[in-house]
Amino acid sequence: MGSAIELMAQGCYGYGRWDAPYWFIGPEQGGSDNSLRAPAFAKCQSDGLCDCKEFHRVIGETRWHRDYPELQRTWRRLMMLLMPSLGYGVSNDELRVYQRDLWGMRDSGETCVIELGGLAAKNLKTPSDRKSFREERIELIKTRIGKCESGPKLVVMYGSGSKEAWNRISDCHFVHGECVKPGRTLFAFMRSPTAIGETDDKWIRLGERIAERL
């Protein structure tokens, strides 16, 4: 790995702010443009996180934050799960506004949208260095959750292929579609939002159950 890409693999966690009340953790970013993302991360990051809108502006990706944005496939269902807790609706137009103005934003947002791995890949079958820095990233994420002043209200971890890491971060047992609250933070576990067989209704129903427990 080149030095900029290595720094991203080690230190790039995602978007938003560490003290946000709502966290979402996935296995890795989608995409195949690490050579473009690495200098953008170096320019935009603060303590491992970027502002989602700023980062995508720097890499020239305009679809997610224009006046009438396209809904990003993974974020769409993650936002669907969150909306009941915020008292918002789940129509595509409402999700577009949230994605454009609040999702993973450093100053105005209420979410921490991060990844287990720092590099982007088209899918989990795409060759990528997923082992370097994995242990220290798991420990840092777990420590960050515990160090939040009041703790995040909700941490959603998705992607059943990473369930061992999710178990370690949460000190809970990954069960797809379930949520557990061992302390001040509610942990929820889901398959990938884009996995075969996933439906909008499934995510909305879990979101409603989460809202009842927060």
Side-chain angles (χ1 to χ4, degrees):
M1 288 188 290
S3 58
I5 292 180
E6 184 174 0
L7 288 173
M8 184 171 71
Q10 181 178 19
C12 177
Y13 284 86
Y15 313 119
R17 54 189 180 89
W18 291 116
D19 61 348
Y22 306 105
W23 285 39
F24 298 84
I25 314 176
E28 62 191 14
Q29 302 177 63
S32 58
D33 51 354
N34 287 307
S35 60
L36 180 64
R37 288 171 179 259
F41 166 69
K43 179 179 180 179
C44 300
Q45 72 95 17
S46 175
D47 206 11
L49 298 178
C50 298
D51 179 89
C52 189
K53 183 183 292 188
E54 180 189 12
F55 178 84
H56 286 92
R57 178 187 59 79
V58 171
I59 67 172
E61 173 56 84
T62 62
R63 288 176 292 172
W64 320 131
H65 300 102
R66 58 197 180 196
D67 288 345
Y68 191 75
E70 181 179 330
L71 281 168
Q72 205 274 353
R73 286 201 314 152
T74 298
W75 299 346
R76 177 177 174 271
R77 282 185 173 151
L78 298 178
M79 290 186 293
M80 276 186 165
L81 185 146
L82 177 61
M83 293 302 101
S85 295
L86 302 180
Y88 299 156
V90 295
S91 71
N92 282 341
D93 281 345
E94 289 170 290
L95 296 177
R96 284 187 177 95
V97 171
Y98 194 87
Q99 175 182 288
R100 183 192 65 202
D101 297 340
L102 295 169
W103 183 252
M105 303 303 178
R106 179 181 293 143
D107 297 324
S108 60
E110 53 207 342
T111 53
C112 181
V113 184
I114 63 174
E115 310 290 346
L116 185 60
L119 299 179
K122 285 187 175 180
N123 54 55
L124 292 175
K125 295 181 180 180
T126 301
S128 181
D129 182 1
R130 297 181 173 90
K131 293 184 178 179
S132 296
F133 313 117
R134 185 180 179 92
E135 291 301 311
E136 67 183 72
R137 290 175 66 90
I138 288 173
E139 290 304 315
L140 186 143
I141 292 170
K142 182 173 182 176
T143 299
R144 286 282 189 179
I145 291 172
K147 285 179 67 176
C148 286
E149 184 174 343
S150 58
K153 294 180 181 179
L154 171 69
V155 176
V156 178
M157 291 177 271
Y158 58 93
S160 54
S162 301
K163 62 182 180 181
E164 180 183 350
W166 308 149
N167 290 345
R168 290 174 57 188
I169 290 169
S170 65
D171 286 328
C172 301
H173 181 66
F174 178 98
V175 178
H176 164 232
E178 293 297 328
C179 51
V180 293
K181 193 171 186 179
R184 63 191 179 185
T185 298
L186 180 67
F187 292 95
F189 307 101
M190 289 293 283
R191 296 172 64 208
S192 168
T194 59
I196 295 173
E198 291 300 295
T199 64
D200 290 352
D201 284 346
K202 187 184 297 184
W203 286 77
I204 293 169
R205 286 198 303 270
L206 180 58
E208 291 170 346
R209 287 167 51 204
I210 287 171
E212 293 174 353
R213 298 192 60 180
L214 286 180

